[in-house]
Amino acid sequence: MAAKYFIRNITAGLSRATVSSQNAFKRFPLITNFLLTNRQVFTACPVGIEDKHNRLVVHWKESLTDEYPLVWLRDNCQCSACFNQSSQSRTINFSQFQLNQTLRHLAISDNNVEIHWEDGHKSAYDFKWLRQRSFHQKEQQNWLKTNKELYKTWDADCFKRIPVFDFKGVMQEDNILLDWLETLGVWGVCLIKNAPHGLGQVGSLAKRVAFVRKTHYGEEFSVQAKADATNVAYTQGHLQLHTDLPYYEYKPGINLLHCHIQYNGNGGNSLLTDGFKIAEKLRENDPETYKYLVETKVTWSDIGQENGNHFHKIHHAPVICESDDGTIRRINYSQPQRDSHMVVPIDQVEKWYRALKNFYDLATDARYLIEFKLKPGEMVTFDNLRILHGRTAFGENLKGERHVQGAYLDWDEARSRIRVLKTKLLGN
Amino acid sequence: MAAKYFIRNITAGLSRATVSSQNAFKRFPLITNFLLTNRQVFTACPVGIEDKHNRLVVHWKESLTDEYPLVWLRDNCQCSACFNQSSQSRTINFSQFQLNQTLRHLAISDNNVEIHWEDGHKSAYDFKWLRQRSFHQKEQQNWLKTNKELYKTWDADCFKRIPVFDFKGVMQEDNILLDWLETLGVWGVCLIKNAPHGLGQVGSLAKRVAFVRKTHYGEEFSVQAKADATNVAYTQGHLQLHTDLPYYEYKPGINLLHCHIQYNGNGGNSLLTDGFKIAEKLRENDPETYKYLVETKVTWSDIGQENGNHFHKIHHAPVICESDDGTIRRINYSQPQRDSHMVVPIDQVEKWYRALKNFYDLATDARYLIEFKLKPGEMVTFDNLRILHGRTAFGENLKGERHVQGAYLDWDEARSRIRVLKTKLLGN
């Protein structure tokens, strides 16, 4: 099955808001909602302020009231003695901090409220700053959402609608870089076209975001057939669907794969499945399998050497990892890197294999599996905590000179870049 | 309070086992137990083998019986068609894998058992290999233990008994490198003396293990007073107890700090507390505070720039993070890097500050806090998921030329190195 993509135009000089309103809204309802949430504007204009029950109560123009605990206000005093502007850090010595704070009086101006504390200290709080830190649950949740993309799962059909980016655009335009990173956060996968010829493109892309996340395979690694392969990826065989490096407790979050040389004959096709979609489907239709895959820890391992450096990684984690709120947050799956040690009660072993087979059968089902052949200059970039990827067999006897170069990037760094870009482009 | 340390002798040519039996056993009961577990030897000599209820049943000489599910045996066939020796990986195509496996007959030799499967495939299993993969719960748990050090907490008094290592010894002798890494795993902290003069020593040490874990502060970072400090560590003020980088979801695991230049006057002393000990004490004596610190997520953040690269990191996590089995696994605490956004129901804010204060008061209590002054050439190396560290104020007006250089290392890489060294030195 060959998927079709379209390239998002490089719209140099066109603002991000304009790009979004012209193209993106219909295609990506989730991204749209996400950005709109971010753009909410409050007037932050109070009509009344009072001190009540150890809280500062602010009545806003919009008939809305916010309350702020005095202890929190004192802890977050923004004066130069309590807060270091250049490092944007609280400097109050917590050993001497008083939990019982009382205020003497308030001084209110157009933009802020100044609290005169009983001990003589004064703290000023900008109204907009206060409004953004509302303790209303809904607004706390909205703020949380702006810090992490809400993912949207895809199947084989939906995959075709995920945007494709232009390498030069991502490298040169901040709004396109932001679009690419947010698309990765929401959809978990993105193709990038028109990368220059030659090695080193994945490193350049990683550095455009932050820097490469190094592993025992190095910074930029070459996926090509080798004699005495230290990894099954370095063979010409069929590479079954997997996530990379499940044996890392700190598994690299984003995988960048650049096709440098493609195999000329049949084969060498890329395979992709959305692991979050598979997990969701199991949760819906086969809750027993889902539960088993969430509750059973698997031993993932990798033993070998790369450039003379020996490694022996082990990590115990389920195939489907949930956050404490039940959100699916990480998929671990790799047939070659599942250890022969199995820490499961013997009575559950058969059941365990059945659950794993159900998972894999669904992941390789035509409804969810995408297959396409990368051309030289094309990149597939994806969330390694989520997407299963693989490759069909190609060539023979190390003669198929297919060469893909890869590098990893961590979500910590990518999300940091998203926030910095949003502040720069959207003024958040 | 000044702590006293002793340096472990460099015992070149002396085997690790000898070192352990001469010195370490009395001092470190936990390390000792840990090593003994690893050294357990099985004869792996069967007196009878049978096929029963889809399992291979092996009766060992020691009146012990192991059972192995046939589906697991087939999945772990070690033949060259099913297992790639050079990458130490399973290559069986899981799409075609049969869950119902039946065997035709067994062929038994001195060292292994060969299974002839119904479909004609043959698989041979070495007895020792089988014995090591016993499905008895106790042995599974023993195997798990060998892959992660069991930590032992310390207070101010106990700290003095933690061994101190010699830089040259760690750099040149594999058995000392292993001792240092295991001590870090068990105690969470280690001093290293006699590092050569000059910068770059933390990088050399990290590379001796694997490689530096890079963050937005770079690979090797200098902790010294600077104008317009991007981090409160880069000032001359008192640096309150904290863990580094709590705003990273993937928080670097090991902190290496090398004293390059020490301040000549009073101040610039290092402060250390075992965060796991503090958490344990709270769990014991103040379970309500403990519960609150485990259940309430805090917003940790860092906004700024380093070498022109802007960052904005955010991570939501409790002060005390437990594993799913209730083990304490990570401490997050940093007064400057606790965000002013607080996602807690307003009714719980006061209670939250009380819990945090209880935690910090205990962490700075003389029973648990260690204070000492590093000399040039000394390093403090510690588990950043566990140990709180700080520094007393020193000098004035950027004139105190104290210079400490730091670098991070991840536990994934350090534990990998421990396993590789154990295989090399102990033949596990």
Side-chain angles (χ1 to χ4, degrees), chain A residues 197-410:
Chain A
H197 188 68
L199 296 173
Q201 309 307 328
V202 281
S204 301
L205 184 59
K207 280 169 200 143
R208 170 78 170 129
V209 180
F211 46 80
V212 171
R213 160 74 189 276
K214 195 172 178 176
T215 71
H216 60 236
Y217 288 110
E219 293 209 334
E220 291 175 293
F221 52 91
S222 278
V223 185
Q224 56 188 149
K226 300 173 195 174
D228 299 324
T230 55
N231 187 296
V232 290
Y234 304 163
T235 67
Q236 290 170 295
H238 164 53
L239 197 54
Q240 301 176 62
L241 285 179
H242 64 287
T243 61
D244 277 4
L245 314 148
Y247 44 78
Y248 264 86
E249 184 175 354
Y250 287 175
K251 184 162 89 158
I254 299 172
N255 206 331
L256 312 171
L257 293 175
H258 170 228
C259 179
H260 176 54
I261 303 170
Q262 186 51 282
Y263 177 61
N264 257 332
N266 283 327
N269 292 0
S270 295
L271 303 167
L272 293 172
T273 303
D274 182 357
F276 283 8
K277 170 66 93 183
I278 302 307
E280 280 181 355
K281 284 285 156 194
L282 287 174
R283 186 160 56 184
E284 245 173 80
N285 304 327
D286 186 356
E288 202 191 349
T289 289
Y290 179 81
K291 190 167 177 283
Y292 212 68
L293 294 174
V294 165
E295 290 180 356
T296 313
K297 284 194 186 173
V298 182
T299 302
W300 309 101
S301 72
D302 196 14
I303 305 178
Q305 59 169 300
E306 182 86 2
N307 299 322
N309 296 314
H310 291 260
F311 52 80
H312 185 172
K313 296 280 194 316
I314 297 181
H315 180 55
H316 303 277
V319 170
I320 301 171
C321 303
E322 285 185 347
S323 296
D324 45 16
D325 64 356
T327 317
I328 300 161
R329 66 170 178 85
R330 169 173 166 166
I331 302 291
N332 296 304
Y333 185 85
S334 178
Q335 169 81 341
Q337 291 157 346
R338 186 161 48 75
D339 201 272
S340 53
H341 283 90
M342 195 170 173
V343 187
V344 171
I346 194 164
D347 289 341
Q348 294 178 29
V349 171
E350 283 87 357
K351 198 173 154 194
W352 155 251
Y353 274 96
R354 164 66 56 201
L356 200 67
K357 194 82 169 71
N358 289 345
F359 174 86
Y360 198 68
D361 285 349
L362 206 60
T364 51
D365 186 296
R367 283 172 293 170
Y368 305 111
L369 182 71
I370 284 290
E371 178 174 345
F372 58 93
K373 193 163 185 172
L374 282 174
K375 293 192 189 77
E378 292 179 340
M379 282 187 183
V380 56
T381 65
F382 57 95
D383 184 341
N384 187 49
L385 306 182
R386 167 176 176 184
I387 305 294
L388 298 157
H389 69 293
R391 179 199 67 212
T392 62
F394 66 97
E396 274 173 15
N397 304 322
L398 304 175
K399 292 261 170 61
E401 292 180 356
R402 188 176 186 273
H403 188 170
V404 168
Q405 197 181 36
Y408 302 109
L409 184 62
D410 273 338

Side-chain angles (χ1 to χ4, degrees), chain B residues 318-342:
Chain B
V319 171
I320 302 173
C321 304
E322 285 187 345
S323 296
D324 45 17
D325 65 356
T327 316
I328 300 159
R329 66 172 178 84
R330 170 174 166 165
I331 302 291
N332 296 305
Y333 185 84
S334 178
Q335 170 80 341
Q337 290 157 347
R338 186 162 47 76
D339 202 273
S340 53
H341 284 89
M342 194 168 172

